[in-house]
Amino acid sequence: MNQYLILQHPGHNRVYFNYSGELALGELHIACTKLEIEFEKLEIIEIERIRYISLKTNNIITEKELEYLSRLSFIFAIFKANTDENNQISLTPVPVFQYEYVDNKISTILKYAGKTNESFTKMMVNIALLSSDFSYEDTIELLDPVAGKGTTLYEGMVYGFNVAGIEIDKKPVHEMSAFFKKYLETERYKHTADKRQIFGKNRSEAVYIDEFEYSVNKEDFRSENLRHTLSMVNGKAQEASNYYKNSQFHLIVGDLPYGISHGSSTNEKSNSNTRNPLELLTLSLPHWDKILKVGGVVVISWNTFIIARHRLFDVFTDNGFTILNDYPYNNFEHMVDKSIKRDFIVAKKTS
Ligand SMILES: C[S@@+](CC[C@H](N)C(=O)[O-])C[C@H]1O[C@@H](n2cnc3c(N)ncnc32)[C@H](O)[C@@H]1O
């Protein structure tokens, strides 16, 4: 039997940290299942008052498995534990795989009211991929239909995915585009930027997309397969299939509006009809179903103080999705602050 001890990334706020052990166990469980790692036990343990996630496996973890595990949202350091005849534990560091296509600082630079925690976003992206029929080796297309200023998009970029967002408010779209253009220039990534109308017959109906193509070096940019895309539509989640192609996306991941206002930047008027997750999902899922590939997955988080988990199930099943609801999928609910208790649903398009 082999034991690995994992130190969790300290990038969580204090309230969230208390729950983050359970969330990490869940994410690790889903990863081990996908990778077919035979594990005896996953648990939280303390050694000298330091908390570790403990993974006991039947076999030594292979390099390929380590490459996948390194991407999990909570990984800070991994150790192989050895217990001697006197029950003394010694820890040997296991090198964590460097997988980032772009530096992960991209999703941490911007700080703003209403931003979704980066580690939480990364966890949703991972769980979406690990629950789908696809892997990190595929050229993944990821959509966040309620994108805000793009945390999900940036987390996807770090994995080298092509990423797309829809956001109803003009201001975050504008700020996100300006930030991203500046980022590409500062990092000296080869890129093109384009803004064009993608929907609407007249000026009042016009919907615009900001689209970037980029690659981290000039050589890659010459080849269409090695170029990456980021696009952002200033439009509505419930009209997604007007903007994007049928079966375009492998993953749809988003953090729905929380039903509370995050300062003056929120445009209450344009959001007022979409503050209720059930309403938004009822209108949106037929569209998301069209643009998602078979084998693809939707992961949506929301504030359970607004609506209970089980009340969202029917709208997914009515649209042909299969909800993954066995442990650990049913164990991710956690407090964020006194007005937000967050959970997420993982739903797969199986046919
Ligand atoms: C919880 S925030 C997402 C924050 C984002 N993950 C980030 O870190 O920047 C939800 C976002 O959904 C947007 N929104 C609300 N209703 C929408 C709709 N019908 N279509 C698209 N976006 C919508 C809100 O304006 C808000 O920016």
Side-chain angles (χ1 to χ4, degrees), residues 112 116 145-149 151 167-168 237-238 255-257 271 274 280:
Y112 50 91
T116 312
V146 283
K149 289 194 213 172
T151 310
E167 166 56 47
I168 202 166
Q238 61 273 33
D255 184 27
L256 295 181
N271 288 343
T274 54
L280 182 56

Side-chain angles (χ1 to χ4, degrees), residues 112-118 121 124 144-154 166-170 172 232-239 243 253-259 262 265-267 270-275 280 283-284 288 301:
Y112 50 91
K115 181 175 183 176
T116 312
N117 175 286
E118 302 91 344
T121 304
M124 288 204 293
D144 182 347
V146 283
K149 289 194 213 172
T151 310
T152 314
L153 277 49
Y154 298 139
I166 303 171
E167 166 56 47
I168 202 166
D169 281 350
K170 218 179 205 156
M232 183 70 131
V233 171
N234 185 196
K236 293 182 182 164
Q238 61 273 33
E239 293 178 4
Y243 318 141
V253 176
D255 184 27
L256 295 181
Y258 279 33
H262 291 288
S265 66
T266 311
N267 183 343
S270 60
N271 288 343
S272 55
N273 65 339
T274 54
R275 288 239 170 249
L280 182 56
L283 296 171
S284 299
W288 299 357
S301 61

Side-chain angles (χ1 to χ4, degrees), residues 13 18 20 52 71 73 77 92 109 112 118 154 157 171 173 180 188 201 205 209 218 250 267 315 338 340:
N13 75 41
N18 295 333
S20 66
Y52 295 87
R71 295 167 197 250
S73 64
T92 311
I109 299 172
Y112 50 91
E118 302 91 344
Y154 298 139
M157 278 180 65
K171 197 164 174 257
V173 173
F180 190 57
R188 295 172 178 274
K201 288 189 205 83
E205 284 178 1
I209 185 168
K218 278 189 188 145
H250 302 78
N267 183 343
V315 68
K338 63 179 186 331
I340 300 174

Side-chain angles (χ1 to χ4, degrees), residues 256 277-286 288 300 312 315-316:
L256 295 181
L278 182 58
E279 230 171 82
L280 182 56
L281 287 170
T282 305
L283 296 171
S284 299
L285 280 170
W288 299 357
I300 283 299
L312 296 182
V315 68
F316 280 97

Side-chain angles (χ1 to χ4, degrees), residues 141-271:
E141 304 261 340
L142 164 74
L143 171 72
D144 182 347
V146 283
K149 289 194 213 172
T151 310
T152 314
L153 277 49
Y154 298 139
E155 289 300 336
M157 278 180 65
V158 172
Y159 290 136
F161 299 169
N162 291 322
V163 292
I166 303 171
E167 166 56 47
I168 202 166
D169 281 350
K170 218 179 205 156
K171 197 164 174 257
V173 173
H174 180 71
E175 287 176 6
M176 189 264 175
S177 278
F179 165 75
F180 190 57
K181 189 155 192 339
K182 186 115 198 287
Y183 179 85
L184 292 170
E185 285 164 4
T186 312
E187 297 295 320
R188 295 172 178 274
Y189 291 162
K190 181 87 179 144
H191 67 275
T192 56
D194 186 29
K195 186 182 183 87
R196 63 194 155 80
Q197 186 177 340
I198 49 157
F199 188 70
K201 288 189 205 83
N202 51 46
R203 240 180 130 207
S204 64
E205 284 178 1
V207 175
Y208 292 91
I209 185 168
D210 284 312
E211 199 164 44
F212 298 87
E213 281 199 295
Y214 70 96
S215 60
V216 295
N217 60 54
K218 278 189 188 145
E219 295 72 46
D220 284 3
F221 198 78
R222 284 192 208 109
S223 152
E224 206 181 315
N225 297 336
L226 298 175
R227 253 180 267 153
H228 289 73
T229 60
L230 177 147
S231 68
M232 183 70 131
V233 171
N234 185 196
K236 293 182 182 164
Q238 61 273 33
E239 293 178 4
S241 70
N242 294 337
Y243 318 141
Y244 289 104
K245 291 201 288 273
N246 283 356
S247 304
Q248 177 170 343
F249 295 102
H250 302 78
L251 312 173
I252 297 180
V253 176
D255 184 27
L256 295 181
Y258 279 33
I260 52 162
S261 178
H262 291 288
S264 57
S265 66
T266 311
N267 183 343
E268 290 291 341
K269 198 165 165 250
S270 60
N271 288 343

Side-chain angles (χ1 to χ4, degrees), residues 35-36 44 137 177 185 204 207 239 342 351:
L35 296 171
E36 298 176 2
I44 298 166
E137 266 95 59
S177 278
E185 285 164 4
S204 64
V207 175
E239 293 178 4
R342 189 165 54 190
S351 59

